[in-house]
Amino acid sequence: NAGVMQNPRHLVRRRGQEARLRCSPMKGHSHVYWYRQLPEEGLKFMVYLQKENIIDESGMPKERFSAEFPKEGPSILRIQQVVRGDSAAYFCASSVQRGLEQFFGPGTRLTVL
Amino acid sequence: RKEVEQDPGPFNVPEGATVAFNCTYSNSASQSFFWYRQDCRKEPKLLMSVYSSGNEDGRFTAQLNRASQYISLLIRDSKLSDSATYLCVVTVNNAGNMLTFGGGTRLMVKP
């Protein structure tokens, strides 16, 4: 049973470009969470999704960030017009039910030049 | 005030030592409590859940004091492989059930 998969593992973008981060949850998991870890800081919740629905996006910046989890395919975290402050590790986690253990993927390290 | 506060360390201890980490949380509505471990540049991994009655898993013992909003982790007989950052994590029973992480406490076990 493969774990949570994220790709790409490393992503380099120039200021103003778009970044698309993908997350495939563990098999059988329909709950996906995105977290961001800025350099030398703890993880911060961004958004919680179930298939085709955003349940809680209280941690998402108001502009430039969006997330989706379509019926088919991986969850996508999209960052438009990236800025240097977006450089961070973005982790995805999945769970089989709300409130149960969240399993983390290896993360995508975004570097904005 | 941060929602979950931890001493960032680092804690430098010799192999075989006993080390204790503490954590405080600010939201009295917090429902679930965990310790995660994060190795350098890797994803967090669940170490153990923390229950009001306290719980033990091998060399690791976790305690929760709801009245003081305080969580602890004790590691006995430290191994070199215990070197990592230990993250105190809480959840609030809201619609999201998202994890709220402390900043982590770094442990370095030396031979």
Side-chain angles (χ1 to χ4, degrees):
Chain A
N1 187 10
V4 178
M5 299 177 69
Q6 289 187 250
N7 67 83
R9 296 290 302 277
H10 299 274
L11 182 61
V12 179
R13 284 287 177 266
R14 296 191 182 278
R15 280 179 298 170
Q17 290 184 319
E18 178 179 289
R20 290 171 73 89
L21 288 59
R22 287 175 289 277
C23 168
S24 297
M26 286 180 71
K27 187 175 180 181
H29 288 196
S30 60
H31 299 249
V32 166
Y33 304 77
W34 285 93
Y35 295 85
R36 177 167 68 173
Q37 187 171 31
L38 295 169
E40 307 301 323
E41 291 191 17
L43 281 83
K44 296 280 193 299
F45 167 77
M46 299 182 76
V47 62
Y48 163 40
L49 311 103
Q50 280 182 270
K51 281 290 185 181
E52 301 184 271
N53 291 304
I54 296 174
I55 307 300
D56 183 344
E57 55 182 345
S58 58
M60 288 280 267
K62 293 287 185 283
E63 297 175 347
R64 302 189 296 107
F65 284 71
S66 62
E68 62 177 10
F69 189 13
K71 188 176 179 181
E72 301 291 337
S75 175
I76 306 285
L77 180 67
R78 182 180 176 209
I79 311 172
Q80 295 177 288
Q81 299 173 329
V82 295
V83 301
R84 288 220 174 103
D86 296 333
S87 296
Y90 291 82
F91 290 99
C92 167
S94 73
S95 66
V96 65
Q97 281 185 35
R98 181 177 73 85
L100 296 186
E101 182 182 352
Q102 295 180 24
F103 294 84
F104 282 81
T108 294
R109 299 196 177 274
L110 172 65
T111 301
V112 180
L113 302 177
Chain B
R1 185 185 171 188
K2 290 183 181 177
E3 290 187 70
V4 181
E5 296 214 51
Q6 295 182 251
D7 180 344
F11 283 59
N12 295 299
V13 303
E15 268 187 291
T18 295
V19 61
F21 304 139
N22 303 319
C23 164
T24 56
Y25 60 95
S26 60
N27 190 336
S28 58
S30 298
Q31 292 287 326
S32 302
F33 309 88
F34 309 92
W35 283 101
Y36 275 72
R37 169 192 170 131
Q38 186 175 28
D39 292 281
C40 188
R41 301 184 71 78
K42 297 282 184 71
E43 72 272 26
K45 293 186 177 176
L46 180 65
L47 181 65
M48 58 198 303
S49 302
V50 188
Y51 305 112
S52 295
S53 54
N55 47 299
E56 187 174 309
D57 183 1
R59 298 181 293 109
F60 299 84
T61 301
Q63 297 275 357
L64 166 65
N65 184 323
R66 284 187 185 269
S68 303
Q69 295 181 198
Y70 171 95
I71 306 162
S72 66
L73 177 68
L74 184 77
I75 305 176
R76 291 181 298 278
D77 188 24
S78 300
K79 311 289 185 195
L80 295 176
S81 57
D82 293 335
S83 297
T85 296
Y86 289 82
L87 305 170
C88 179
V89 183
V90 307
T91 68
V92 178
N93 195 23
N94 58 13
N97 253 110
M98 73 279 201
L99 303 177
T100 301
F101 285 81
T105 298
R106 192 169 168 210
L107 171 66
M108 298 181 69
V109 181
K110 311 222 167 181

